[in-house]
């Protein structure tokens, strides 16, 4: 993953763009697409599109 990614966590009961719940955990924030969905990835194969309002910065939580 590139160096411009950011570690984020998700709010409880976050759903992806298909309406399925996303597992709690730490993700890499990859960016926001043209339709407004934030792409987050748990690893190289497990990624989800979620509402950006459901993201929390891990760095902000540590402070």
């Amino acid at each position: 993953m590139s160096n411009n990614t950011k570690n984020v966590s998700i709010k409880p009961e976050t759903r992806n763009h298909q309406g399925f719940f996303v597992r709690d955990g730490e993700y890499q924030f990859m960016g926001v697409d043209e339709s407004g969905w934030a792409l987050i990835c748990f690893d190289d194969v497990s990624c989800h599109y979620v509402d950006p309002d459901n993201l929390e910065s891990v760095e902000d939580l540590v402070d």
Side-chain angles (χ1 to χ4, degrees), residues 17-49:
H17 70 294
Q18 295 175 321
F20 295 103
F21 286 108
V22 177
R23 184 179 72 176
D24 288 341
E26 189 173 307
Y27 292 85
Q28 292 287 320
F29 174 72
M30 307 306 289
V32 176
D33 72 4
E34 61 275 355
S35 61
W37 291 99
L39 178 62
I40 57 172
C41 294
F42 185 75
D43 55 28
D44 289 340
V45 295
S46 180
C47 295
H48 302 279
Y49 283 103

Side-chain angles (χ1 to χ4, degrees), residues 4-28:
N4 63 353
T5 59
K6 182 177 182 180
N7 291 333
V8 294
S9 63
I10 56 171
K11 295 180 181 177
E13 300 186 16
T14 294
R15 294 177 185 256
N16 67 14
H17 70 294
Q18 295 175 321
F20 295 103
F21 286 108
V22 177
R23 184 179 72 176
D24 288 341
E26 189 173 307
Y27 292 85
Q28 292 287 320

